[in-house]
Amino acid sequence: MKTQVGREPFGTLEDGTRVDRWTLESGPGGVRVRVLTYGGIIQTVEAPDRDGTRGQLALGFADLGSYVAHGGSYFGAVVGRYANRIAGASFRLDGRTWALTPNDGRNSLHGGSRNFSRVVWDAREVDGGVQLRRVSPDGEEGFPGALDVRVTYTLSPGGALRIVSWARTDAPTVVNLTNHTYLNLGGDGSGSAAGHELRLAASRYTPCDDSGIPVPGAPAEVTGTRFDFRTARAVGGAFDHNFALDGGVRHAPRTVAELYDPRSGRALELATTEPGLQLYTAGHLDGTLTGTSGVPYGPAAGLALETQHFPDSPNRPDFPSTVLRPGGTYRSETVYGFSVRPRSAGNP
């Protein structure tokens, strides 16, 4: 069965700009994803549990006003030009220092105050999905070069969500895009996701200081630390850390993570071309925000698995490069594959 794609109005910003919602559906009772033109936000991800009951798995809001008012949580959004942090909100490129907008203490986070999560994207239907596009003007949030960006969401008939990010520039710049969807495989509002079992193909991670900036030195081995997810185990405590994925940058996606909820039987297999993955357990959520389920969000109400290049790469020549030059193309691909696992003696 062919993926069904539809569009409907979702609201209007104060300046009169219309926001649409696109719905991608793999089939009756299968995976359904809703994407907003505001921020490229994945508003909902619905997938069946082991009993065939479809549940809403993505943290988010029911109305546009809440996304505008609480954009700092980045629920489901495209973030850029630079996902994660750049130390001191500045970097040097070709002998020149570029000053960015500091919006996380003295650092730049996710591209600055008016980043890609806070703008309305143009949209057009493509086979099995929707493509979003915008041109980030030269100097936006301090970044050099006009950047032509396209983010394409497609849903396969089998229910795999594919996100492809593409960009070109007219001047040397840095680019690092990701999607910031928080998932709770038990369902939005079902409580903490800290009991989800996670496996990561990551033998190293980047230790960071109190502001989230990687400390000097090579990525550290996970052996003997709480960062060792090479064998699946419950997520447990709080994380906001980048994992250096085994194999580095790839031309085609390879499986780097598996997430499983024993209660519902839902499982996620994550594949990407990126060299890093930021595991964030939503420690900032304190019950003051309420999502589509009507249940307040607390810590670990959802988990973000942000495929990306490493934090502060523009200031770290030892990290995989995020430099994009005219004539070159930035391309990143991440695939979310949803499935269910049957009951077992340990999972009644």
Side-chain angles (χ1 to χ4, degrees):
M1 179 178 292
K2 185 177 180 180
T3 298
Q4 300 299 305
V5 180
R7 180 180 63 177
E8 61 186 332
F10 187 70
T12 304
L13 298 178
E14 288 187 355
D15 65 0
T17 303
R18 168 176 158 162
V19 173
D20 288 336
R21 179 168 70 177
W22 290 74
T23 298
L24 322 179
E25 187 162 9
S26 64
V31 176
R32 180 165 58 197
V33 177
R34 290 188 171 97
V35 177
L36 308 181
T37 53
Y38 179 77
I41 288 168
I42 294 177
Q43 184 202 17
T44 65
V45 176
E46 299 169 73
D49 63 11
R50 61 162 63 96
D51 296 320
T53 301
R54 188 158 63 178
Q56 208 291 89
L57 314 182
L59 272 59
F61 300 115
D63 62 277
L64 178 60
S66 295
Y67 282 108
V68 174
H70 305 296
S73 291
Y74 301 100
F75 288 150
V78 175
V79 290
R81 290 187 190 189
Y82 198 93
N84 218 309
R85 296 167 177 87
I86 295 179
S90 68
F91 66 94
R92 287 186 64 79
L93 179 61
D94 296 341
R96 177 175 173 180
T97 298
W98 296 92
L100 309 176
T101 303
N103 63 325
D104 185 48
R106 59 185 298 269
N107 303 320
S108 171
L109 174 65
H110 292 331
S113 299
R114 189 179 183 274
N115 55 65
F116 290 0
S117 70
R118 297 177 181 269
V119 297
V120 177
W121 297 63
D122 295 328
R124 69 179 184 93
E125 184 175 345
V126 296
D127 187 24
V130 59
Q131 183 181 87
L132 306 180
R133 181 182 182 184
R134 78 177 297 257
V135 175
S136 173
D138 179 30
E140 186 171 57
E141 298 299 304
F143 288 94
L147 190 72
D148 183 358
V149 185
R150 304 173 197 184
V151 180
T152 305
Y153 299 93
T154 55
L155 188 64
S156 74
L161 174 63
R162 183 182 304 271
I163 305 175
V164 177
S165 300
W166 177 101
R168 285 185 176 172
T169 183
D170 65 359
T173 191
V174 295
V175 184
N176 181 33
L177 306 181
T178 194
N179 181 275
H180 209 295
T181 295
Y182 299 82
L183 291 173
N184 186 321
L185 298 182
D188 179 36
S190 65
S192 174
H196 285 20
E197 296 174 5
L198 175 66
R199 186 190 70 82
L200 290 176
S203 302
R204 298 175 301 152
Y205 75 104
T206 51
C208 56
D209 62 21
D210 291 342
S211 68
I213 300 297
V215 299
E221 296 290 330
V222 300
T223 303
T225 74
R226 71 186 189 97
F227 300 95
D228 193 348
F229 287 98
R230 291 175 295 178
T231 299
R233 63 177 177 84
V235 172
F239 290 90
D240 189 8
H241 295 82
N242 171 67
F243 289 78
L245 299 171
D246 297 341
V249 180
R250 296 292 185 92
H251 292 292
R254 82 290 193 191
T255 300
V256 298
E258 294 175 354
L259 190 66
Y260 172 59
D261 173 38
R263 300 170 298 172
S264 67
R266 294 188 184 94
L268 167 68
E269 182 177 286
L270 187 67
T272 190
T273 56
E274 289 297 292
L277 182 149
Q278 186 88 2
L279 170 62
Y280 180 44
T281 54
H284 73 286
L285 296 177
D286 58 5
T288 57
L289 299 181
T290 299
T292 55
S293 66
V295 177
Y297 290 145
L303 307 176
L305 304 174
E306 305 162 58
T307 55
Q308 55 165 16
H309 273 57
F310 300 172
D312 201 32
S313 291
N315 293 312
R316 293 290 299 268
D318 53 323
F319 286 174
S321 176
T322 55
V323 174
L324 179 65
R325 298 185 181 279
T329 299
Y330 168 91
R331 187 181 185 279
S332 174
E333 182 175 350
T334 296
V335 182
Y336 297 77
F338 297 94
S339 63
V340 293
R341 298 180 186 175
R343 287 183 173 85
S344 64
N347 298 306

